C-alpha cells in the first residue's frame, strides 16, 4: 500500500468513526485519530488483525473510540472501558478467535 493509499484509508476510517460517534465538527479530528490509532494498536497487541474482517474490526474500533472520547474526564481509565457495550466485547472475542485460528480475509467485510 502506497503512502497516498494509507492516507486515503486513514481519512476514510476517520470519517466513518466520526459518523458513528455523531461528531460533525473537525476540531477534535487529531484526538479522534489518536484514539483510533491507540485502539488499532490494542487490537493488534491482542492478536486481532484488521485484514480478517475490516468491517467488524472498524466497528470495534469505533465503539472503543467513542467510549474513550466520552470518558475523557473519567477518574480512571478503567471507567472508560467498563461502558463498552457487551456486543462489542463479543465481537472482539469472536474476531480474536478467528484471527488466532487461521481466519483469512473472506472479502465479505464483516
Amino acid at each position: 500500500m502506497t503512502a497516498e493509499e494509507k492516507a486515503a484509508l486513514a481519512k476514510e476510517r476517520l470519517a466513518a468513526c466520526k459518523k458513528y460517534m455523531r461528531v460533525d465538527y473537525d476540531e477534535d479530528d487529531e484526538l479522534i485519530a489518536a484514539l483510533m490509532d491507540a485502539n488499532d494498536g490494542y487490537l493488534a497487541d491482542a492478536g486481532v488483525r484488521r485484514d480478517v474482517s475490516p468491517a467488524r474490526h472498524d466497528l470495534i474500533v469505533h465503539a472503543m473510540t467513542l467510549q474513550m472520547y466520552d470518558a475523557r474526564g473519567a477518574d480512571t481509565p478503567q471507567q472508560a472501558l467498563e461502558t463498552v457495550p457487551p456486543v462489542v466485547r463479543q465481537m472482539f472475542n469472536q474476531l480474536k478467535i478467528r484471527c488466532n485460528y487461521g481466519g483469512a480475509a473472506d472479502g465479505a467485510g464483516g
Side-chain angles (χ1 to χ4, degrees), residues 37-101:
D37 187 51
N39 290 322
D40 282 337
Y42 174 85
L43 293 178
D45 290 347
V48 175
R49 299 185 330 267
R50 186 174 185 273
D51 64 293
V52 172
S53 180
R56 201 172 308 162
H57 182 280
D58 286 352
L59 184 57
I60 295 167
V61 168
H62 296 170
M64 292 172 67
T65 300
L66 174 61
Q67 295 308 123
M68 293 174 78
Y69 183 81
D70 284 347
R72 286 172 289 166
D75 292 334
T76 65
Q78 186 61 30
Q79 285 177 316
L81 295 176
E82 289 174 353
T83 56
V84 172
V87 69
V88 173
R89 291 181 186 268
Q90 292 166 353
M91 288 172 47
F92 167 79
N93 290 333
Q94 181 186 43
L95 189 54
K96 184 174 179 179
I97 290 168
R98 189 168 171 206
C99 287
N100 287 322
Y101 292 100

